[in-house]
Each structure stands twice: as structure tokens, then as C-alpha cells.
Amino acid sequence: MLREYQEYVLAYRLRRAVGGRVTPPGEQLRLHEYAALRLERQDLARSLVRRGLDGTHMRRLDTLSDQLMFGFWLNPSEVAAFLRAAIREGSHPALGDPAAFARLLTPAEQARLGAGGVAQVCAHHIACFALAAPMLDPDGLNAAWQRIEATRPPLFLDELQQPAP
């Protein structure tokens, strides 16, 4: 759950940086808010599998998925939709430039990660954008997944750190 929240925060920051129509509505969720909504989404998804959902519950599940940006980084269709929308908004340097992506991290997060960790975080998330291109090319998709797995970052967000005593 912590890694998933970290991915949510980075997606939120990126979408805010791109702006326009990809700007997420509302404020960034804090960890406990994210966790509560994630549990609600999980219960709705479980209910869908067990007994099906009516239209109201399906809309709520979709709304929660959108709000939590569930699957934002690792779902090829989500990545492709985001990149198309981001390009329509004028793009953003963080979509391909590691230094620009690094600016999405707070100074404390950058210090916690160190130069090598920041490079890994940037490489990992920029590699995720590669999922959009090879959706029809199994070899390309496999290569993209290998780059993503090889650069999986540690937990580093300010929100996930214990306060110093």
C-alpha cells in the first residue's frame, strides 16, 4: 500500500505540473485518506467479482479509480491516454527529461534518495511512459517491463517518513 500511495503522489504531482485538463481535481490525498478510499475501492471491486454491481456502484468504482489514479504508471492504456492528453496540453519536460522529473520531488526526498536514488526514481517513472508505445509489440512491451522492474525505487516520500524524535 505504501508503494502504491507513493505512485499516486508522483502521478498527482506530474499531472499538476502538466496542468490543463490532466490536472487532478482537489487536493492531494494524505496517506490515511488515500488508504480509506483504496479500501472502499477494493470492497467495491470484490463485490463486483462476487455478485456484480449496479450502475451506481460501477460509477463509484470508476470515480475512485480515477481519483486514486489506480494503475496510472503500469497500465499501458492509462499511460497512453495520459500522454495523449499531456501532449494536447503542451507536454511537459518531466515526460522525458530526468532533471525535470527530479524537480517533482521535494528537496527532502531528493536528499533522502541521494543522486543515485533520484536517478533511479526518474529512470523508473520515465520508463513507465514507454508502456504506451509498444502496446501491440510484445517484444517492445517486454523490454519496457524489464526497464521498469530494473529501476524500481525504494520508499522515499516525505509523507511516508517517521518524524525525527
mmCIF file of all heavy atoms in Angstrom, residues 126-154:
data_model
loop_
_atom_site.group_PDB
_atom_site.id
_atom_site.type_symbol
_atom_site.label_atom_id
_atom_site.label_comp_id
_atom_site.label_asym_id
_atom_site.label_seq_id
_atom_site.Cartn_x
_atom_site.Cartn_y
_atom_site.Cartn_z
ATOM 1 N N ILE A 126 10.070 7.444 -15.961
ATOM 2 C CA ILE A 126 10.142 7.753 -17.393
ATOM 3 C C ILE A 126 10.046 6.467 -18.215
ATOM 4 O O ILE A 126 9.420 6.447 -19.277
ATOM 5 C CB ILE A 126 11.406 8.582 -17.700
ATOM 6 C CG1 ILE A 126 11.233 9.998 -17.099
ATOM 7 C CG2 ILE A 126 11.663 8.661 -19.205
ATOM 8 C CD1 ILE A 126 12.466 10.867 -17.160
ATOM 9 N N ALA A 127 10.606 5.363 -17.686
ATOM 10 C CA ALA A 127 10.461 4.066 -18.372
ATOM 11 C C ALA A 127 9.002 3.655 -18.457
ATOM 12 O O ALA A 127 8.585 3.012 -19.429
ATOM 13 C CB ALA A 127 11.287 2.995 -17.659
ATOM 14 N N CYS A 128 8.204 4.012 -17.457
ATOM 15 C CA CYS A 128 6.778 3.675 -17.488
ATOM 16 C C CYS A 128 6.079 4.294 -18.695
ATOM 17 O O CYS A 128 5.124 3.721 -19.224
ATOM 18 C CB CYS A 128 6.095 4.125 -16.200
ATOM 19 S SG CYS A 128 6.568 3.161 -14.747
ATOM 20 N N PHE A 129 6.545 5.456 -19.144
ATOM 21 C CA PHE A 129 5.927 6.078 -20.321
ATOM 22 C C PHE A 129 6.114 5.214 -21.566
ATOM 23 O O PHE A 129 5.334 5.303 -22.505
ATOM 24 C CB PHE A 129 6.499 7.472 -20.566
ATOM 25 C CG PHE A 129 6.212 8.439 -19.443
ATOM 26 C CD1 PHE A 129 7.179 9.313 -19.004
ATOM 27 C CD2 PHE A 129 4.968 8.469 -18.833
ATOM 28 C CE1 PHE A 129 6.920 10.210 -17.976
ATOM 29 C CE2 PHE A 129 4.703 9.353 -17.802
ATOM 30 C CZ PHE A 129 5.683 10.228 -17.374
ATOM 31 N N ALA A 130 7.145 4.382 -21.567
ATOM 32 C CA ALA A 130 7.391 3.508 -22.710
ATOM 33 C C ALA A 130 6.290 2.465 -22.874
ATOM 34 O O ALA A 130 6.150 1.874 -23.947
ATOM 35 C CB ALA A 130 8.747 2.819 -22.583
ATOM 36 N N LEU A 131 5.495 2.234 -21.841
ATOM 37 C CA LEU A 131 4.401 1.270 -21.945
ATOM 38 C C LEU A 131 3.367 1.693 -22.984
ATOM 39 O O LEU A 131 2.662 0.856 -23.531
ATOM 40 C CB LEU A 131 3.708 1.091 -20.593
ATOM 41 C CG LEU A 131 4.500 0.375 -19.515
ATOM 42 C CD1 LEU A 131 3.745 0.412 -18.190
ATOM 43 C CD2 LEU A 131 4.784 -1.057 -19.917
ATOM 44 N N ALA A 132 3.279 2.981 -23.247
ATOM 45 C CA ALA A 132 2.269 3.469 -24.184
ATOM 46 C C ALA A 132 2.574 3.077 -25.622
ATOM 47 O O ALA A 132 1.674 2.735 -26.382
ATOM 48 C CB ALA A 132 2.154 4.990 -24.088
ATOM 49 N N ALA A 133 3.838 3.111 -26.000
ATOM 50 C CA ALA A 133 4.204 2.895 -27.399
ATOM 51 C C ALA A 133 4.081 1.445 -27.865
ATOM 52 O O ALA A 133 3.500 1.188 -28.916
ATOM 53 C CB ALA A 133 5.611 3.413 -27.645
ATOM 54 N N PRO A 134 4.601 0.492 -27.135
ATOM 55 C CA PRO A 134 4.642 -0.868 -27.692
ATOM 56 C C PRO A 134 3.450 -1.745 -27.320
ATOM 57 O O PRO A 134 3.594 -2.951 -27.218
ATOM 58 C CB PRO A 134 5.924 -1.424 -27.080
ATOM 59 C CG PRO A 134 5.983 -0.797 -25.736
ATOM 60 C CD PRO A 134 5.415 0.593 -25.937
ATOM 61 N N MET A 135 2.284 -1.164 -27.120
ATOM 62 C CA MET A 135 1.158 -1.986 -26.695
ATOM 63 C C MET A 135 0.863 -3.119 -27.662
ATOM 64 O O MET A 135 0.357 -4.159 -27.252
ATOM 65 C CB MET A 135 -0.089 -1.125 -26.489
ATOM 66 C CG MET A 135 0.009 -0.308 -25.226
ATOM 67 S SD MET A 135 -1.364 0.789 -24.831
ATOM 68 C CE MET A 135 -2.733 0.271 -25.767
ATOM 69 N N LEU A 136 1.201 -2.957 -28.912
ATOM 70 C CA LEU A 136 0.944 -4.009 -29.893
ATOM 71 C C LEU A 136 2.188 -4.811 -30.236
ATOM 72 O O LEU A 136 2.131 -5.721 -31.048
ATOM 73 C CB LEU A 136 0.350 -3.397 -31.172
ATOM 74 C CG LEU A 136 -0.970 -2.665 -30.967
ATOM 75 C CD1 LEU A 136 -1.414 -2.012 -32.265
ATOM 76 C CD2 LEU A 136 -2.030 -3.611 -30.440
ATOM 77 N N ASP A 137 3.296 -4.481 -29.621
ATOM 78 C CA ASP A 137 4.567 -5.154 -29.886
ATOM 79 C C ASP A 137 5.002 -5.906 -28.628
ATOM 80 O O ASP A 137 5.538 -5.302 -27.704
ATOM 81 C CB ASP A 137 5.620 -4.121 -30.284
ATOM 82 C CG ASP A 137 7.007 -4.722 -30.460
ATOM 83 O OD1 ASP A 137 7.137 -5.964 -30.490
ATOM 84 O OD2 ASP A 137 7.960 -3.945 -30.548
ATOM 85 N N PRO A 138 4.783 -7.231 -28.575
ATOM 86 C CA PRO A 138 5.118 -7.989 -27.359
ATOM 87 C C PRO A 138 6.585 -7.856 -26.951
ATOM 88 O O PRO A 138 6.890 -7.767 -25.776
ATOM 89 C CB PRO A 138 4.780 -9.433 -27.714
ATOM 90 C CG PRO A 138 3.857 -9.347 -28.868
ATOM 91 C CD PRO A 138 4.189 -8.074 -29.591
ATOM 92 N N ASP A 139 7.503 -7.818 -27.905
ATOM 93 C CA ASP A 139 8.919 -7.679 -27.555
ATOM 94 C C ASP A 139 9.190 -6.307 -26.958
ATOM 95 O O ASP A 139 9.922 -6.176 -25.982
ATOM 96 C CB ASP A 139 9.808 -7.907 -28.781
ATOM 97 C CG ASP A 139 9.741 -9.347 -29.272
ATOM 98 O OD1 ASP A 139 9.503 -10.246 -28.442
ATOM 99 O OD2 ASP A 139 9.902 -9.552 -30.489
ATOM 100 N N GLY A 140 8.597 -5.279 -27.541
ATOM 101 C CA GLY A 140 8.765 -3.929 -27.016
ATOM 102 C C GLY A 140 8.147 -3.787 -25.636
ATOM 103 O O GLY A 140 8.708 -3.145 -24.744
ATOM 104 N N LEU A 141 6.992 -4.404 -25.442
ATOM 105 C CA LEU A 141 6.341 -4.358 -24.143
ATOM 106 C C LEU A 141 7.189 -5.079 -23.100
ATOM 107 O O LEU A 141 7.365 -4.590 -21.982
ATOM 108 C CB LEU A 141 4.950 -4.973 -24.233
ATOM 109 C CG LEU A 141 4.062 -4.838 -23.007
ATOM 110 C CD1 LEU A 141 3.871 -3.377 -22.624
ATOM 111 C CD2 LEU A 141 2.720 -5.497 -23.259
ATOM 112 N N ASN A 142 7.740 -6.221 -23.458
ATOM 113 C CA ASN A 142 8.611 -6.964 -22.541
ATOM 114 C C ASN A 142 9.846 -6.134 -22.181
ATOM 115 O O ASN A 142 10.244 -6.082 -21.011
ATOM 116 C CB ASN A 142 9.030 -8.304 -23.163
ATOM 117 C CG ASN A 142 9.826 -9.144 -22.211
ATOM 118 O OD1 ASN A 142 9.500 -9.249 -21.032
ATOM 119 N ND2 ASN A 142 10.893 -9.749 -22.712
ATOM 120 N N ALA A 143 10.431 -5.473 -23.149
ATOM 121 C CA ALA A 143 11.609 -4.636 -22.881
ATOM 122 C C ALA A 143 11.241 -3.476 -21.953
ATOM 123 O O ALA A 143 12.007 -3.128 -21.048
ATOM 124 C CB ALA A 143 12.191 -4.111 -24.193
ATOM 125 N N ALA A 144 10.063 -2.895 -22.158
ATOM 126 C CA ALA A 144 9.624 -1.807 -21.285
ATOM 127 C C ALA A 144 9.457 -2.296 -19.848
ATOM 128 O O ALA A 144 9.903 -1.650 -18.902
ATOM 129 C CB ALA A 144 8.317 -1.205 -21.802
ATOM 130 N N TRP A 145 8.837 -3.469 -19.677
ATOM 131 C CA TRP A 145 8.654 -4.021 -18.333
ATOM 132 C C TRP A 145 10.000 -4.327 -17.682
ATOM 133 O O TRP A 145 10.176 -4.105 -16.478
ATOM 134 C CB TRP A 145 7.794 -5.283 -18.356
ATOM 135 C CG TRP A 145 6.332 -4.979 -18.379
ATOM 136 C CD1 TRP A 145 5.463 -5.191 -19.404
ATOM 137 C CD2 TRP A 145 5.567 -4.381 -17.331
ATOM 138 N NE1 TRP A 145 4.210 -4.755 -19.053
ATOM 139 C CE2 TRP A 145 4.247 -4.262 -17.777
ATOM 140 C CE3 TRP A 145 5.877 -3.932 -16.049
ATOM 141 C CZ2 TRP A 145 3.232 -3.722 -17.002
ATOM 142 C CZ3 TRP A 145 4.862 -3.383 -15.270
ATOM 143 C CH2 TRP A 145 3.554 -3.290 -15.752
ATOM 144 N N GLN A 146 10.955 -4.799 -18.441
ATOM 145 C CA GLN A 146 12.282 -5.077 -17.875
ATOM 146 C C GLN A 146 12.939 -3.784 -17.381
ATOM 147 O O GLN A 146 13.547 -3.779 -16.305
ATOM 148 C CB GLN A 146 13.165 -5.775 -18.906
ATOM 149 C CG GLN A 146 12.775 -7.216 -19.140
ATOM 150 C CD GLN A 146 13.586 -7.869 -20.245
ATOM 151 O OE1 GLN A 146 14.323 -7.219 -20.976
ATOM 152 N NE2 GLN A 146 13.434 -9.179 -20.381
ATOM 153 N N ARG A 147 12.818 -2.691 -18.143
ATOM 154 C CA ARG A 147 13.374 -1.406 -17.693
ATOM 155 C C ARG A 147 12.679 -0.913 -16.433
ATOM 156 O O ARG A 147 13.315 -0.390 -15.519
ATOM 157 C CB ARG A 147 13.247 -0.348 -18.793
ATOM 158 C CG ARG A 147 14.250 -0.505 -19.914
ATOM 159 C CD ARG A 147 14.309 0.733 -20.811
ATOM 160 N NE ARG A 147 13.024 1.220 -21.293
ATOM 161 C CZ ARG A 147 12.400 0.777 -22.374
ATOM 162 N NH1 ARG A 147 12.913 -0.189 -23.107
ATOM 163 N NH2 ARG A 147 11.253 1.306 -22.748
ATOM 164 N N ILE A 148 11.370 -1.092 -16.376
ATOM 165 C CA ILE A 148 10.607 -0.658 -15.200
ATOM 166 C C ILE A 148 11.025 -1.440 -13.963
ATOM 167 O O ILE A 148 11.300 -0.872 -12.911
ATOM 168 C CB ILE A 148 9.095 -0.788 -15.466
ATOM 169 C CG1 ILE A 148 8.667 0.261 -16.497
ATOM 170 C CG2 ILE A 148 8.283 -0.662 -14.184
ATOM 171 C CD1 ILE A 148 7.303 0.019 -17.095
ATOM 172 N N GLU A 149 11.080 -2.751 -14.081
ATOM 173 C CA GLU A 149 11.462 -3.588 -12.939
ATOM 174 C C GLU A 149 12.899 -3.339 -12.502
ATOM 175 O O GLU A 149 13.209 -3.370 -11.313
ATOM 176 C CB GLU A 149 11.251 -5.069 -13.266
ATOM 177 C CG GLU A 149 9.795 -5.475 -13.311
ATOM 178 C CD GLU A 149 9.076 -5.271 -11.982
ATOM 179 O OE1 GLU A 149 9.645 -5.595 -10.927
ATOM 180 O OE2 GLU A 149 7.932 -4.762 -12.009
ATOM 181 N N ALA A 150 13.785 -3.048 -13.435
ATOM 182 C CA ALA A 150 15.203 -2.829 -13.103
ATOM 183 C C ALA A 150 15.424 -1.511 -12.375
ATOM 184 O O ALA A 150 16.473 -1.325 -11.757
ATOM 185 C CB ALA A 150 16.046 -2.865 -14.375
ATOM 186 N N THR A 151 14.440 -0.618 -12.416
ATOM 187 C CA THR A 151 14.621 0.703 -11.815
ATOM 188 C C THR A 151 13.631 0.972 -10.692
ATOM 189 O O THR A 151 13.430 2.121 -10.310
ATOM 190 C CB THR A 151 14.484 1.809 -12.877
ATOM 191 O OG1 THR A 151 13.186 1.717 -13.482
ATOM 192 C CG2 THR A 151 15.564 1.695 -13.946
ATOM 193 N N ARG A 152 13.031 -0.065 -10.126
ATOM 194 C CA ARG A 152 12.007 0.127 -9.094
ATOM 195 C C ARG A 152 12.594 0.857 -7.891
ATOM 196 O O ARG A 152 13.534 0.377 -7.262
ATOM 197 C CB ARG A 152 11.445 -1.218 -8.664
ATOM 198 C CG ARG A 152 10.242 -1.094 -7.786
ATOM 199 C CD ARG A 152 9.626 -2.436 -7.570
ATOM 200 N NE ARG A 152 8.283 -2.269 -7.058
ATOM 201 C CZ ARG A 152 7.580 -3.245 -6.589
ATOM 202 N NH1 ARG A 152 8.067 -4.460 -6.572
ATOM 203 N NH2 ARG A 152 6.387 -3.018 -6.126
ATOM 204 N N PRO A 153 12.040 2.035 -7.547
ATOM 205 C CA PRO A 153 12.624 2.831 -6.473
ATOM 206 C C PRO A 153 12.183 2.370 -5.083
ATOM 207 O O PRO A 153 11.156 1.705 -4.937
ATOM 208 C CB PRO A 153 12.103 4.239 -6.756
ATOM 209 C CG PRO A 153 10.835 4.036 -7.502
ATOM 210 C CD PRO A 153 10.992 2.753 -8.271
ATOM 211 N N PRO A 154 12.951 2.777 -4.074
ATOM 212 C CA PRO A 154 12.564 2.497 -2.685
ATOM 213 C C PRO A 154 11.463 3.463 -2.248
ATOM 214 O O PRO A 154 11.118 4.396 -2.977
ATOM 215 C CB PRO A 154 13.860 2.767 -1.917
ATOM 216 C CG PRO A 154 14.518 3.843 -2.706
ATOM 217 C CD PRO A 154 14.211 3.510 -4.151
#
